[in-house]
Amino acid sequence: MDKKQVKVPEFDWKRIGDIEEGRKNLGQSLPVAVYRLMQFTVFDTLQAHYGTETAQEMFRQAGFSAGMAFAKNNLNLKAAFDAFVAELQSVLKTLAIGILRIEKSNADKTKLVLTVSEDLDCSGLPVVGETVCHYDEGFLAGVLKAYTGGDYEVIEIDCWASGDRTCRFSADKK
Ligand SMILES: [Zn+2]
C-alpha cells in the first residue's frame, strides 16, 4: 500500500474527551497490559486482513497521526531544539510512554539517533528477533514533522523484541 494514496485525517484532540469528568472514580491511568492487548489485537486483525507489511505501514501511519496530534497539543513547538527535546522527554516520562534520549544528532538536526527505554509498546515482550515498534516509528516521525515541518524517515534499529534492552531509532530527514 502506497501511503501517499491514503490520507489519514488529522486527529482532533477533542475526541479524547473529558476523562476527569467521565472517569471520576477510575481516573486517567490503566495498566500497560490493557494498552498492549488493544494494540496487538488491532495489529493482528489488520495483519489478517491485509498482510504483515501493510499492517506495519498502517501502524506507522496511525503513529504518525498520533505523534502530530500529541506534539501539537502537548508541546511548545516554538521552543529551541534543546528545550523542545527536554519538554518531550519530560512529557513522555510523565505519561509513562518511555524514557527518551537523543543519542546522536548532527548540527542541523537532519540526522538523529534516539533511544526509548522502558517503551510502552515493547519493553518486556518475548524476543522474536525483529523490531516491532512500527507505531513508535510513525509517532516519532509525527512529532518531528510537527516541530520541524520536515518529513523524516524513522526506522527502529534495535528493539526489546529484537533482543536489545532499549529501542533505538534512526531519524533521517528526507
Ligand atoms: Zn521496540
Side-chain angles (χ1 to χ4, degrees):
M1 176 179 292
D2 183 350
K3 67 178 163 185
K4 288 183 188 76
Q5 287 172 358
V6 180
K7 193 169 168 12
V8 178
E10 190 171 329
F11 182 79
D12 179 358
W13 200 261
K14 287 193 202 84
R15 284 173 63 199
I16 299 284
D18 187 342
I19 298 167
E20 231 164 89
E21 165 66 18
R23 288 171 56 96
K24 285 200 163 68
N25 298 296
L26 297 177
Q28 297 274 348
S29 301
L30 87 175
V32 173
V34 179
Y35 168 87
R36 288 186 179 178
L37 182 66
M38 162 86 169
Q39 185 171 122
F40 298 161
T41 52
V42 169
F43 185 86
D44 287 351
T45 305
L46 292 174
Q47 189 180 37
H49 279 272
Y50 305 110
T52 303
E53 247 175 62
T54 301
Q56 291 173 349
E57 184 54 32
M58 285 174 158
F59 257 52
R60 258 180 227 111
Q61 285 191 39
F64 182 85
S65 174
M68 285 275 281
F70 178 85
K72 285 181 182 175
N73 288 281
N74 294 282
L75 303 169
N76 174 13
L77 299 177
K78 295 201 168 74
F81 184 77
D82 288 349
F84 175 76
V85 169
E87 188 182 29
L88 178 60
Q89 284 173 320
S90 166
V91 174
L92 291 178
K93 191 174 175 193
T94 302
L95 296 178
I97 293 172
I99 298 164
L100 174 78
R101 289 202 173 82
I102 306 279
E103 211 169 60
K104 284 182 203 158
S105 71
N106 63 354
D108 57 3
K109 317 300 181 199
T110 53
K111 285 185 180 297
L112 306 166
V113 177
L114 311 101
T115 60
V116 181
S117 296
E118 300 193 30
D119 186 272
L120 176 60
D121 289 347
C122 78
S123 291
L125 289 188
V127 173
V128 291
E130 58 187 58
T131 61
V132 299
C133 297
H134 311 294
Y135 185 86
D136 292 10
E137 290 173 334
F139 186 89
L140 291 170
V143 169
L144 288 167
K145 171 80 174 179
Y147 178 65
T148 68
D151 293 310
Y152 281 77
E153 182 171 40
V154 178
I155 297 170
E156 191 180 31
I157 310 160
D158 300 319
C159 181
W160 187 289
S162 69
D164 291 277
R165 300 301 285 186
T166 188
C167 297
R168 181 170 285 106
F169 299 88
S170 66
D172 294 304
K173 197 167 178 201
K174 290 181 195 166

